[in-house]
Amino acid sequence: MGVTEPLLLAVVVATALAFDFTNGFHDTGNAMATSIATRALKPKAAVILSASLNMAGAFLSLTVAATIATGIVDSGVVTLAVVLAGLAGGIVWNLITWLFGLPSSSSHALIGGVVGAVLAAAGTEGVLWSGLTSKVLIPALVAPVVAILVGTIATWLVARITRDVPQDTNDKAFRWGQIGSASLVSLAHGTNDAQKSMGIILLALIAGGAVPADSGVPFWVIVSCALAMALGTYMGGWRVIRTLGKGLVELESRQGMAAETSSAAVILLSSHFGYSLSTTHVATGSILGSGVGMKGASVRWSVAGRMFAAWLITVPSAAIVGAVFYWIDTVIGGVAGSYTVFGLLIVIAFLIYLWSRRKPINSKNVNDNLGPRTGLRGVHRRVRLRAPSRGDEGQAQAPEKGAEAPPPPAAGGGGPDRERGSRGGGPRTGDYS
């Protein structure tokens, strides 16, 4: 390697760890959103627990890392500039979807960025299409469907078994169960997602000549990726947690436990076979299944539709960003081009962060009711209010018999929206970010 190449290799490795960091806070909600929403765990305790188990899971398997390093693109056409551009594409897409609270796939963002950079560098021959199809695209389509089915069945079974148990008893018992099931999802997430950055760093080390082409993942890479993901997980990613925990389904503790257990089972099975599965797709599918499987539950399909749309465009969008970054690199040329890409990535990330501060979401408000017009803070979610008719103007709306009365509307007007309960839809809300 030349005089400046070791520094460039260090920049690429640092960028890969930065992606692992964004993966951590982007995907925290996969494991902990339901536990936080049902208050089985306090928000800060949840992310600390998830971070610890994510780090532990990173040491349990390297099968997925091998898939990323050798099964998606031809390592012979991969250079440090290609890896850097691909990582930049994945990071930018992760940050954009986090900003809008959309739980899209970090895995597919990374793969899309790398594929886009390889296409820009070497054309279609640089992509192993059979591996991309069998290891990424097919699992992307199958995983959410399987998770919805498993989550639906698990929730139906739990609801049937506990149908005669008082609600308060169910809540207390299943909140303890949720701690165990959420921990299992975090461990499973570490066995799958941490491996992806390991595979990318291995590609960079091979491209930079630091290790031979048939090398395994060095131990220092495993440790670095585990720590980066754990740190990102600890940061929370509260926007995505809010969408998964409060935006899709109004969850009871038994639904949360069924969803988390279903997610863990599907993720661990995929890690065993080396599939680069999106834990986000699985977790979201399981949560939707928990709504479908619980009689009377309300699923907000409009929010799910936004998420599905983001899933469809994740790979091509990240690929476009990766290709653009590689084009910038080649236009400037040489090592200066790669450093320019790195600098642009820092600027874009900082601007997205500043934008996010306009409407911050954190551990203190992550469980607030969504949208500016719900007006239902502090009200037990089983209270149902009918929409006022014209003849009701100026009259107080009475709650159902035995239900806790709602608080008066806040100053400035605007009453509570109607909660549709078992008829579906849920309360109308504004921004889920």
Side-chain angles (χ1 to χ4, degrees), residues 59-84:
F59 292 91
L60 297 182
S61 171
L62 294 178
T63 308
V64 174
T67 297
I68 295 294
T70 61
I72 306 299
V73 297
D74 182 1
S75 59
V77 303
V78 174
T79 63
L80 291 178
V82 168
V83 176
L84 181 61

Side-chain angles (χ1 to χ4, degrees), residues 89 94 125 198 261 287:
N94 262 0
E125 295 181 356
M198 296 179 199
T261 305
I287 292 172

